[in-house]
PDB file of all heavy atoms in Angstrom:
ATOM      1  N   PRO A1415     -27.242-193.675  14.200  1.00  0.00           N
ATOM      2  CA  PRO A1415     -27.904-194.841  14.857  1.00  0.00           C
ATOM      3  C   PRO A1415     -29.283-194.467  15.466  1.00  0.00           C
ATOM      4  O   PRO A1415     -30.060-195.399  15.756  1.00  0.00           O
ATOM      5  CB  PRO A1415     -26.936-195.131  16.022  1.00  0.00           C
ATOM      6  CG  PRO A1415     -26.151-193.859  16.239  1.00  0.00           C
ATOM      7  CD  PRO A1415     -26.033-193.262  14.872  1.00  0.00           C
ATOM      8  N   GLU A1457     -20.432-205.051  15.914  1.00  0.00           N
ATOM      9  CA  GLU A1457     -21.175-205.121  17.169  1.00  0.00           C
ATOM     10  C   GLU A1457     -21.596-203.739  17.529  1.00  0.00           C
ATOM     11  O   GLU A1457     -20.815-202.752  17.475  1.00  0.00           O
ATOM     12  CB  GLU A1457     -20.358-205.698  18.280  1.00  0.00           C
ATOM     13  CG  GLU A1457     -19.999-207.180  18.033  1.00  0.00           C
ATOM     14  CD  GLU A1457     -19.184-207.791  19.208  1.00  0.00           C
ATOM     15  OE1 GLU A1457     -19.157-207.152  20.241  1.00  0.00           O
ATOM     16  OE2 GLU A1457     -18.620-208.865  19.008  1.00  0.00           O
ATOM     17  N   VAL A1458     -22.946-203.560  17.798  1.00  0.00           N
ATOM     18  CA  VAL A1458     -23.461-202.199  18.089  1.00  0.00           C
ATOM     19  C   VAL A1458     -23.945-202.153  19.502  1.00  0.00           C
ATOM     20  O   VAL A1458     -24.353-203.171  20.135  1.00  0.00           O
ATOM     21  CB  VAL A1458     -24.570-201.809  17.147  1.00  0.00           C
ATOM     22  CG1 VAL A1458     -24.080-201.822  15.696  1.00  0.00           C
ATOM     23  CG2 VAL A1458     -25.809-202.735  17.303  1.00  0.00           C
ATOM     24  N   VAL A1459     -23.915-200.921  20.070  1.00  0.00           N
ATOM     25  CA  VAL A1459     -24.507-200.648  21.386  1.00  0.00           C
ATOM     26  C   VAL A1459     -25.949-200.168  21.075  1.00  0.00           C
ATOM     27  O   VAL A1459     -26.120-199.104  20.470  1.00  0.00           O
ATOM     28  CB  VAL A1459     -23.769-199.608  22.179  1.00  0.00           C
ATOM     29  CG1 VAL A1459     -24.406-199.308  23.526  1.00  0.00           C
ATOM     30  CG2 VAL A1459     -22.281-199.988  22.295  1.00  0.00           C
ATOM     31  N   ALA A1470     -27.795-192.408  21.577  1.00  0.00           N
ATOM     32  CA  ALA A1470     -26.790-193.398  21.188  1.00  0.00           C
ATOM     33  C   ALA A1470     -25.512-193.269  21.969  1.00  0.00           C
ATOM     34  O   ALA A1470     -25.175-192.191  22.501  1.00  0.00           O
ATOM     35  CB  ALA A1470     -26.459-193.287  19.733  1.00  0.00           C
ATOM     36  N   ALA A1471     -24.847-194.355  22.203  1.00  0.00           N
ATOM     37  CA  ALA A1471     -23.541-194.399  22.930  1.00  0.00           C
ATOM     38  C   ALA A1471     -22.522-193.710  21.960  1.00  0.00           C
ATOM     39  O   ALA A1471     -22.697-193.705  20.747  1.00  0.00           O
ATOM     40  CB  ALA A1471     -23.084-195.767  23.291  1.00  0.00           C
ATOM     41  N   ASN A1472     -21.339-193.335  22.507  1.00  0.00           N
ATOM     42  CA  ASN A1472     -20.303-192.844  21.658  1.00  0.00           C
ATOM     43  C   ASN A1472     -18.960-193.499  22.144  1.00  0.00           C
ATOM     44  O   ASN A1472     -18.533-193.123  23.250  1.00  0.00           O
ATOM     45  CB  ASN A1472     -20.216-191.360  21.780  1.00  0.00           C
ATOM     46  CG  ASN A1472     -19.157-190.759  20.863  1.00  0.00           C
ATOM     47  OD1 ASN A1472     -18.725-191.424  19.970  1.00  0.00           O
ATOM     48  ND2 ASN A1472     -18.701-189.546  21.156  1.00  0.00           N
ATOM     49  N   PRO A1473     -18.387-194.387  21.384  1.00  0.00           N
ATOM     50  CA  PRO A1473     -18.796-194.846  20.086  1.00  0.00           C
ATOM     51  C   PRO A1473     -19.968-195.863  20.204  1.00  0.00           C
ATOM     52  O   PRO A1473     -20.099-196.533  21.258  1.00  0.00           O
ATOM     53  CB  PRO A1473     -17.557-195.613  19.550  1.00  0.00           C
ATOM     54  CG  PRO A1473     -16.867-196.067  20.784  1.00  0.00           C
ATOM     55  CD  PRO A1473     -17.097-195.021  21.812  1.00  0.00           C
ATOM     56  N   TRP A1474     -20.709-195.979  19.099  1.00  0.00           N
ATOM     57  CA  TRP A1474     -21.903-196.856  19.125  1.00  0.00           C
ATOM     58  C   TRP A1474     -21.682-198.195  18.373  1.00  0.00           C
ATOM     59  O   TRP A1474     -22.521-199.016  18.426  1.00  0.00           O
ATOM     60  CB  TRP A1474     -23.064-196.123  18.620  1.00  0.00           C
ATOM     61  CG  TRP A1474     -22.989-195.661  17.146  1.00  0.00           C
ATOM     62  CD1 TRP A1474     -22.528-194.439  16.726  1.00  0.00           C
ATOM     63  CD2 TRP A1474     -23.367-196.392  15.962  1.00  0.00           C
ATOM     64  NE1 TRP A1474     -22.618-194.405  15.373  1.00  0.00           N
ATOM     65  CE2 TRP A1474     -23.057-195.562  14.850  1.00  0.00           C
ATOM     66  CE3 TRP A1474     -23.872-197.675  15.704  1.00  0.00           C
ATOM     67  CZ2 TRP A1474     -23.289-195.914  13.567  1.00  0.00           C
ATOM     68  CZ3 TRP A1474     -24.123-198.036  14.419  1.00  0.00           C
ATOM     69  CH2 TRP A1474     -23.788-197.183  13.346  1.00  0.00           C
ATOM     70  N   TYR A1475     -20.501-198.347  17.741  1.00  0.00           N
ATOM     71  CA  TYR A1475     -20.247-199.582  17.040  1.00  0.00           C
ATOM     72  C   TYR A1475     -18.789-200.006  17.127  1.00  0.00           C
ATOM     73  O   TYR A1475     -17.931-199.128  17.375  1.00  0.00           O
ATOM     74  CB  TYR A1475     -20.696-199.501  15.552  1.00  0.00           C
ATOM     75  CG  TYR A1475     -19.756-198.592  14.758  1.00  0.00           C
ATOM     76  CD1 TYR A1475     -18.669-199.017  14.115  1.00  0.00           C
ATOM     77  CD2 TYR A1475     -20.120-197.226  14.648  1.00  0.00           C
ATOM     78  CE1 TYR A1475     -17.826-198.146  13.393  1.00  0.00           C
ATOM     79  CE2 TYR A1475     -19.298-196.361  13.934  1.00  0.00           C
ATOM     80  CZ  TYR A1475     -18.189-196.809  13.330  1.00  0.00           C
ATOM     81  OH  TYR A1475     -17.330-196.001  12.624  1.00  0.00           O
ATOM     82  N   LYS A1476     -18.557-201.299  16.912  1.00  0.00           N
ATOM     83  CA  LYS A1476     -17.122-201.784  16.840  1.00  0.00           C
ATOM     84  C   LYS A1476     -17.009-202.717  15.721  1.00  0.00           C
ATOM     85  O   LYS A1476     -17.939-203.609  15.557  1.00  0.00           O
ATOM     86  CB  LYS A1476     -16.842-202.489  18.227  1.00  0.00           C
ATOM     87  CG  LYS A1476     -15.450-203.030  18.273  1.00  0.00           C
ATOM     88  CD  LYS A1476     -15.067-203.550  19.691  1.00  0.00           C
ATOM     89  CE  LYS A1476     -15.948-204.848  20.022  1.00  0.00           C
ATOM     90  NZ  LYS A1476     -15.470-205.444  21.373  1.00  0.00           N
TER      91      LYS A1476
END
Side-chain angles (χ1 to χ4, degrees):
E1457 295 182 12
V1458 299
V1459 180
N1472 185 18
W1474 60 268
Y1475 68 90
K1476 182 172 68 174

